[in-house]
Amino acid sequence: MLRTTLAGLLAHRLRLALTSLAIALGVGFIAGTFVLTDTIDAGFTEKFSAAADRIDVAVTPLSKGNGDEPPTASEATLEKVRAVDGVADAQGLVRGTSALLGKDGKAAGDFPTAGISLPGGDLNRTAIVSGTAPMTATQAVLDEGTARTRGFKVGDTIAVLDAKNARHEFTLVGLFDIGLDQELGYFGAVGYTTDTARTMTGQEGYREIDVAAAQGVTQEALRDAVAAAVGAEHEVRTGERYAADLAASNGANGDFLMLGLLLFGVVAMFVAALVIYNTFNILVAQRTREMALLRCIGATRGQVFGSIVLESAVVGLLSSVLGLLFGYGLGAGALAVLTAFEAPLPSAAATTLTPRTIVLGLVIGLTVTVGAALLPARAATRVAPIAALRSQTEEQTFRTGLVRMIFAGLFLVAGVGASVAGMSMKPGETALVVVMAGCSFVFLAVLTLGPVIVKPLSAFAGWVPARLFGVPGRLAVDNSRRNPKRSATTTVALTVGVTLMTVISVVTGTVRVTYTQQLDEQFPFDYLVQTQERDSGLPRAIAENLRTRPELDSVIAFRETTARLATGTARYDVGTFTPVPGFNPPLDAGSLDRLGPGTALVTERVAERLRLGVGDRITVRTAKAGAVDLTIVGLSDIDASLAAVTVPERDFDRYFGEIGDSRVMIKHRDGVDPDRALAAVEAATEPYPTAKVASSTEMRGQFDEALDMVLMIITGLLGLAVLISLLGIANTLSLSVHERTRESALLRALGLTRPQLRRMLSVEALVLGLIGALVGVTLGIAFGWAAAQTMTDNVIFQLPVPQILSFVALSGLAGVLAAVLPARRAARASVVGSLASG
């Protein structure tokens, strides 16, 4: 039986080629994911180790619970460390904000660049890639990414704002590599000498203290001595432990990336399993006489079963090896693309194929292939020896069965129930997970009912083709309905990909429209002025100037600070705004008209936390007026963008003094050209470098671009599942053509021409593709609508009709393309030889 199985594989090498390709693509995607993330993690570890090997001990201050302000170590702590026996050198690292000005004189970027210190000597871990490190108070360096995007080069003069927004100029003497510091990679950084960094950032302490050991002193001994000197308020680690912790912190991000990509790999493997199952199911049906002959000459049921399983194992092993090679290339290609787009990755990282990836790839490929072949192998054992006497393969008939209907009903009830329960929950991650689980059960119900619904769907999808293509069209529709179980399994593979792509399209379209609507309701403005740090750093003169501009209609100024409530030590945002006609932030309870002296609006979240409601009193500890009791007159909606506690404008000034504006919202006058109004806003803010102007149109455009990019990436990843499903359609048609050799020859003998035969098979593939697309689109719309309900309140459902129609059209076209080779092969077959082969 072993020799017979291997001989059968060698004799029919092409019949399993598409199945091998399907499993190779699935394994390749998973292996490529591991290759990519392993390579990135290895590069992270190598680069961190290289950066941290210059220090023997790292001292970092522990948080004291002061909110978002990072903890710092004092100058006294640094001196204590330097006084420890065994310390050769110790340097404190300064980090804060230091806003770089662009060549237009305005603060560069949406957020201020970081200001950091570059210590001298061997403890400097910053890699200078061009020029030199700063040596004097008038020299500075930039990270190479910021320098490139802002058009600066070594030798230029750059302008930077200090902590008090005073302008300073420096000579740019070098560019440095930020390494894998994500904070610096996002915001950019300006590097100074230590003393200059403290002056520019306003930081009195150090974010970290790096220590070098004297000759002959071990890292462990020095760590213990330094820990005893600085006390329990600081964490003291050896250089090796520090490097390992840094690598692990980035490894977590690698794990997150790997998990996200593996989800798409699981989808690809699921689709591949359906293709494998369908392929072996058809192969077993076609080899009925062959297996019956084996039974006649003494093969047992176990040997027949084993031969099918062995065949699947050989195919799975070869396909998995091919998939590993493909995955290695895929991972290397993805790394090259990320590097080309200047992602913050280690440039010297070599593509890594670890033993774990090899083992997992082989195990997954073998398990999925053999597992998908078990049911067809079990069916093969039921072939009776008498079947060898039949002249042709018996056409399988399908019966619905009570068990199938019971399981489908249970899945459907469970799925609908879970989905409804999830949609009735408060929007959030938990609700989304529950809805996703419910949708999965609904999909299982449809999968179970696939052979039942494929017949009416074939009639529906084939109604137009049957009339357009005459006899070949009607024959094609009949062929698609003849074996509903096989047709259903073939189309399910395509249904998975189309469903997921439709879900993503519906969700992104709905989120886009909902976001735009909420933006119009919550922010009825055309332009927004705010600082990079989103704090109350805008001079009030900006809003006052804007109110005098004839191009502008309304100007709303917001101010915010923090204060403690009498109920605890936590600090909350307390704010106010300049009331103007037409501005009515949404409230869940109460009225904005009642906001007067001695009153306040409180956000719903704060009210729930403190168990307060309209009419209750709340005490706020203010800077100027001490503790003040306020009556709550309204609960602001979470989307109102108001502070936790909002008080009238005059009360705010009395409580906290003359605080600048945090943001200013502007609406231009009707009939005024938007560009002219924008020019007026920019003219008013020009004297203030930190004042950033954004238009609502620009904000919507950025959001749309982000959604489009996410949609493009996810659609591209899901395209792998669609590709595998198309291989399944091509494989099924190829095997079906082989199975119907005599039938096709008989049709040719009765007058069907070669073009008509090709047309018949192409229309059959078209119908199968349309069935998968129609089911996928229907499920995707329903699942997308359910998922969108869990993301936010007051969802505005949006159906992206053009995209959905394109999915259906492309699925039908892809089915036709998948039928090209099988149809060509069938049309070329000899009529006499095919009739004689039966």
Side-chain angles (χ1 to χ4, degrees):
M1 287 300 297
L2 176 61
R3 289 195 298 270
T4 301
T5 302
L6 295 178
L9 282 171
L10 292 175
H12 305 89
R13 292 183 295 270
L14 294 179
R15 71 184 179 189
L16 295 175
L18 291 178
T19 303
S20 299
L21 186 55
I23 194 67
L25 287 174
V27 172
F29 192 88
I30 291 178
T33 298
F34 281 115
V35 168
L36 175 63
T37 54
D38 287 345
T39 301
I40 293 174
D41 287 344
F44 283 172
T45 303
E46 179 182 356
K47 192 154 190 175
F48 275 131
S49 300
D53 63 0
R54 299 185 181 184
I55 66 173
D56 295 299
V57 170
V59 181
T60 50
L62 298 176
S63 176
K64 299 179 181 179
N66 293 330
D68 297 331
E69 189 67 25
T72 58
S74 65
E75 183 71 29
T77 302
L78 176 60
E79 294 303 324
K80 288 181 182 179
V81 173
R82 287 174 173 169
V84 173
D85 290 337
V87 173
D89 189 17
Q91 297 288 340
L93 303 184
V94 178
R95 176 176 294 191
T97 58
S98 184
L100 173 72
L101 300 184
K103 292 188 174 182
D104 60 354
K106 304 291 285 186
D110 293 330
F111 297 93
T113 50
I116 63 173
S117 64
L118 275 67
D122 294 336
L123 287 176
N124 180 21
R125 293 184 284 130
T126 304
I128 302 295
V129 297
S130 177
T132 62
M135 304 299 293
T136 68
T138 60
Q139 296 178 342
V141 293
L142 273 179
D143 71 278
E144 53 184 344
T146 300
R148 180 176 55 255
T149 56
R150 299 300 168 187
F152 291 112
K153 62 182 183 298
V154 175
D156 288 348
T157 298
I158 60 173
V160 189
L161 300 179
D162 64 15
K164 298 180 180 179
N165 289 333
R167 176 188 171 101
H168 299 260
E169 292 188 350
F170 298 88
T171 301
L172 184 62
V173 296
L175 306 180
F176 68 94
D177 180 9
I178 61 171
L180 302 170
D181 191 316
Q182 295 181 356
E183 180 182 344
L184 298 187
Y186 185 76
F187 297 111
V190 186
Y192 313 94
T193 61
T194 301
D195 290 339
T196 306
R198 295 179 68 174
T199 301
M200 293 299 296
T201 62
Q203 296 289 324
E204 297 181 357
Y206 302 102
R207 186 75 66 89
E208 176 186 323
I209 298 175
D210 291 345
V211 186
Q215 188 72 26
V217 179
T218 64
Q219 290 189 358
E220 290 74 13
L222 186 61
R223 176 198 59 195
D224 296 339
V226 171
V230 299
E233 295 182 351
H234 299 79
E235 182 180 11
V236 183
R237 290 170 286 179
T238 63
E240 293 180 358
R241 171 66 185 278
Y242 179 70
D245 290 345
L246 287 174
S249 66
N250 269 275
N253 293 324
D255 292 341
F256 182 78
L257 171 66
M258 180 172 64
L259 178 62
L261 291 175
L262 283 179
L263 290 177
F264 295 98
V266 169
V267 172
M269 290 305 299
F270 176 70
V271 175
L274 292 174
V275 172
I276 296 165
Y277 167 75
N278 205 29
T279 301
F280 277 95
N281 214 27
I282 297 173
L283 287 175
V284 166
Q286 291 179 352
R287 295 159 59 188
T288 299
R289 293 186 66 196
E290 175 186 326
M291 289 180 290
L293 284 171
L294 291 174
R295 292 292 309 281
C296 285
I297 61 176
T300 65
R301 290 178 182 268
Q303 288 177 316
V304 172
F305 180 85
S307 69
I308 302 297
V309 172
L310 177 61
E311 186 173 330
S312 67
V314 173
V315 173
L317 180 62
L318 295 176
S319 304
S320 299
V321 172
L322 181 62
L324 286 173
L325 296 176
F326 172 69
Y328 181 83
L330 189 66
L335 190 66
V337 170
L338 291 174
T339 303
F341 280 94
E342 299 175 354
L345 299 175
S347 57
T351 306
T352 305
L353 186 62
T354 63
R356 179 201 63 181
T357 303
I358 296 174
V359 171
L360 281 176
L362 294 176
V363 169
I364 291 172
L366 277 173
T367 302
V368 171
T369 308
V370 174
L374 287 179
L375 286 179
R378 182 171 174 267
T381 63
R382 298 176 180 176
V383 177
I386 193 67
L389 303 178
R390 296 178 183 145
S391 60
Q392 65 183 68
T393 303
E394 182 179 354
E395 184 75 28
Q396 293 185 345
T397 57
F398 169 76
R399 296 176 182 175
T400 303
L402 180 61
V403 176
R404 180 184 296 272
M405 297 304 295
I406 291 175
F407 273 101
L410 291 175
F411 285 142
L412 187 61
V413 171
V416 173
S419 300
V420 172
M423 288 187 290
S424 63
M425 298 168 63
K426 186 176 181 180
E429 293 182 4
T430 303
L432 180 60
V433 170
V434 173
V435 167
M436 289 173 60
C439 293
S440 300
F441 278 111
V442 173
F443 187 84
L444 288 176
V446 174
L447 181 65
T448 306
L449 290 174
V452 179
I453 63 177
V454 75
K455 278 193 173 184
L457 285 176
S458 296
F460 176 76
W463 187 81
V464 174
R467 282 155 179 75
L468 286 178
F469 298 102
V471 173
R474 292 193 294 273
L475 289 172
V477 174
D478 290 340
N479 286 336
S480 65
R481 304 176 62 187
R482 180 186 300 175
N483 193 331
K485 189 174 182 181
R486 183 175 67 197
S487 297
T489 310
T490 302
T491 57
V492 160
L494 181 61
T495 298
V496 173
V498 175
T499 298
L500 292 174
M501 288 196 294
T502 305
V503 167
I504 298 302
S505 298
V506 169
V507 169
T508 52
T510 300
V511 169
R512 194 193 311 272
V513 173
T514 302
Y515 170 84
T516 302
Q517 180 67 25
Q518 290 179 351
L519 189 65
D520 291 338
E521 293 177 355
Q522 299 162 20
F523 308 111
F525 66 91
D526 298 304
Y527 312 104
L528 174 68
V529 180
Q530 62 184 4
T531 64
Q532 289 179 319
E533 296 183 347
R534 311 310 195 245
D535 59 0
S536 293
L538 291 174
R540 295 191 180 188
I542 293 179
E544 294 171 358
N545 188 349
L546 290 171
R547 292 189 182 99
T548 64
R549 302 278 176 163
E551 301 90 347
L552 307 179
D553 183 24
S554 59
V555 177
I556 311 169
F558 293 82
R559 302 181 195 106
E560 287 184 5
T561 187
T562 60
R564 288 188 174 90
L565 304 184
T567 53
T569 58
R571 300 187 70 87
Y572 292 86
D573 290 332
V574 180
T576 188
F577 62 89
T578 304
V580 297
F583 178 67
N584 297 301
L587 301 181
D588 289 332
S591 171
L592 186 64
D593 295 335
R594 296 174 57 191
L595 183 62
T599 64
L601 300 176
V602 178
T603 61
E604 184 184 16
R605 183 174 298 174
V606 173
E608 291 178 356
R609 184 180 304 167
L610 303 180
R611 298 181 180 179
L612 298 173
V614 175
D616 292 336
R617 306 278 289 179
I618 185 172
T619 302
V620 179
R621 299 189 179 277
T622 69
K624 296 290 186 181
V628 294
D629 290 330
L630 305 174
T631 301
I632 299 175
V633 296
L635 303 181
S636 60
D637 187 87
I638 189 173
D639 296 325
S641 294
L642 296 179
V645 179
T646 300
V647 298
E649 188 176 22
R650 291 185 179 179
D651 283 3
F652 183 86
D653 291 342
R654 184 164 55 87
Y655 298 156
F656 302 103
E658 293 286 333
I659 292 178
D661 297 332
S662 59
R663 63 189 186 278
V664 180
M665 296 180 179
I666 307 112
K667 189 173 184 179
H668 67 71
R669 196 175 299 278
D670 291 340
V672 174
D673 181 65
D675 292 337
R676 179 184 164 200
L678 177 60
V681 175
E682 290 178 338
T685 60
E686 185 177 1
Y688 309 97
T690 59
K692 305 284 291 184
V693 180
S695 67
S696 58
T697 303
E698 179 184 357
M699 295 171 64
R700 292 186 182 94
Q702 292 174 350
F703 181 77
D704 287 341
E705 287 179 5
L707 275 182
D708 290 338
M709 180 175 294
V710 170
L711 179 63
M712 181 181 64
I713 293 173
I714 294 179
T715 302
L717 293 172
L718 291 176
L720 179 67
V722 176
L723 174 61
I724 295 175
S725 64
L726 295 180
L727 291 174
I729 292 178
N731 208 15
T732 301
L733 283 173
S734 180
L735 294 169
S736 178
V737 166
H738 176 74
E739 185 181 79
R740 296 181 298 185
T741 300
R742 291 188 76 247
E743 175 186 318
S744 299
L746 183 59
L747 289 173
R748 289 285 312 283
L750 293 174
L752 199 69
T753 64
R754 286 184 176 182
Q756 287 178 320
L757 179 61
R758 286 196 298 265
R759 196 176 305 139
M760 179 190 76
L761 294 173
S762 298
V763 173
E764 182 179 347
L766 171 65
V767 172
L768 291 176
L770 290 177
I771 291 173
L774 290 174
V775 176
V777 163
T778 303
L779 292 177
I781 292 174
F783 295 169
W785 174 79
Q789 306 303 313
T790 67
M791 294 184 175
T792 184
D793 294 319
N794 304 320
V795 172
I796 304 173
F797 182 70
Q798 177 72 14
L799 191 63
V801 177
Q803 290 180 345
I804 290 175
L805 291 179
S806 69
F807 292 156
V808 176
L810 289 175
S811 298
L813 176 61
V816 173
L817 293 177
V820 170
L821 290 180
R824 185 169 175 266
R825 180 183 177 187
R828 283 187 168 187
S830 169
V831 176
V832 176
S834 299
L835 289 173
S837 65

